[in-house]
Amino acid sequence: DADVTQTPRNRITKTGKRIMLECSQTKGHDRMYWYRQDPGLGLRLIYYSFDVKDINKGEISDGYSVSRQAQAKFSLSLESAIPNQTALYFCATSEGAIETQYFGPGTRLLVL
Amino acid sequence: SQELEQSPQSLIVQEGKNLTINCTSSKTLYGLYWYKQKYGEGLIFLMMLQKGGEEKSHEKITAKLDEKKQQSSLHITASQPSHAGIYLCGADGNTGKLIFGQGTTLQVKP
């Protein structure tokens, strides 16, 4: 079984709709991250969490919110989706600061 | 803020040829990661470098971090179609967060 899973893998939604992307990990890591990937821009950090009670904004947090329900779960919400939030979204985990980040398979989101 | 610049942005090589991808940081690197991504799929961890002058190899892929810890190179020897994909460098600026370069798209022609 995969160590980092994301659901859904693909999602099409309409402008203005609320949508939640979920991430689960079985690696036992405290740190979890949400990134989005756009062509030619690489990966950009949206939010990150260093433990269950910790939430931090990343580079591009506007329009997004997160919830760290448990050590193993970190969900990303788009309160009112807009077309420029169409992207590939990745969740990642790591054990500590200078440690490898392990990525989920990604969620492809299309906002019409 | 720290930025990573990858070059080239895209690369097309003939199967069997060697190639190099570079990643340059605007600040000292405390941890440099190389990932590979198949188009539209998840990231596969390749290597992590931390020490100045460090070099690591895995199969036909070698990554180096320069002594000043501001530049890394990824070298593929005798490229194969299976090497095709997007290569991303990521860096830890000692903040616990990774930042990424924009990626290098590699195509290998049989």
Side-chain angles (χ1 to χ4, degrees):
Chain A
D1 289 339
D3 295 318
V4 184
T5 57
Q6 291 182 233
T7 56
R9 293 294 313 278
N10 294 279
R11 181 72 183 266
I12 301 173
T13 192
K14 295 182 179 180
T15 298
K17 294 290 186 181
R18 184 179 188 277
I19 182 170
M20 179 182 287
L21 310 182
E22 299 193 12
C23 177
S24 294
Q25 53 116 345
T26 59
K27 298 191 75 67
H29 290 166
D30 285 328
R31 298 179 178 224
M32 297 187 74
Y33 312 80
W34 274 104
Y35 295 90
R36 66 176 279 176
Q37 185 179 35
D38 300 275
L41 293 177
L43 284 163
R44 293 182 292 168
L45 183 63
I46 306 172
Y47 270 96
Y48 62 102
S49 168
F50 284 171
D51 63 42
V52 175
K53 298 178 182 179
D54 179 74
I55 299 290
N56 302 281
K57 292 183 177 181
E59 185 183 356
I60 50 164
S61 59
D62 288 347
Y64 302 94
S65 62
V66 290
S67 174
R68 186 79 184 269
Q69 303 95 317
Q71 187 202 40
K73 296 185 182 296
F74 193 35
S75 58
L76 175 73
S77 295
L78 286 67
E79 297 301 326
S80 179
I82 55 177
N84 76 1
Q85 290 179 313
T86 293
L88 188 54
Y89 290 84
F90 288 101
C91 171
T93 75
S94 70
E95 189 170 355
I98 308 181
E99 298 288 346
T100 302
Q101 289 195 7
Y102 295 87
F103 285 79
T107 295
R108 188 173 295 280
L109 176 65
L110 173 61
V111 183
L112 300 175
Chain B
S1 62
Q2 187 169 18
E3 293 183 351
L4 292 179
E5 185 75 25
Q6 283 186 239
S7 62
Q9 289 192 1
S10 63
L11 196 54
I12 302 173
V13 299
Q14 203 68 36
E15 183 177 357
K17 295 293 186 183
N18 303 335
L19 63 106
T20 299
I21 299 168
N22 293 302
C23 177
T24 302
S25 171
S26 58
K27 295 183 180 180
T28 299
L29 296 162
Y30 289 93
L32 190 286
Y33 302 77
W34 283 101
Y35 288 89
K36 179 188 174 185
Q37 182 183 25
K38 289 286 189 182
Y39 299 107
E41 298 181 9
L43 278 71
I44 300 168
F45 170 73
L46 295 176
M47 277 171 271
M48 183 181 79
L49 304 165
Q50 285 184 268
K51 299 177 182 177
E54 187 174 10
E55 179 177 320
K56 289 185 177 178
S57 293
H58 177 66
E59 297 179 343
K60 294 184 178 180
I61 301 176
T62 300
K64 300 179 184 179
L65 181 62
D66 76 340
E67 289 289 345
K68 293 183 179 179
K69 296 172 64 176
Q70 284 195 267
Q71 187 170 39
S72 178
S73 61
L74 186 81
H75 184 77
I76 298 177
T77 304
S79 59
Q80 300 169 357
S82 61
H83 287 128
I86 300 170
Y87 289 83
L88 287 158
C89 65
D92 183 338
N94 206 30
T95 62
K97 301 176 293 180
L98 276 186
I99 59 169
F100 289 88
Q102 77 276 33
T104 296
T105 300
L106 172 64
Q107 294 181 51
V108 180
K109 291 191 170 183

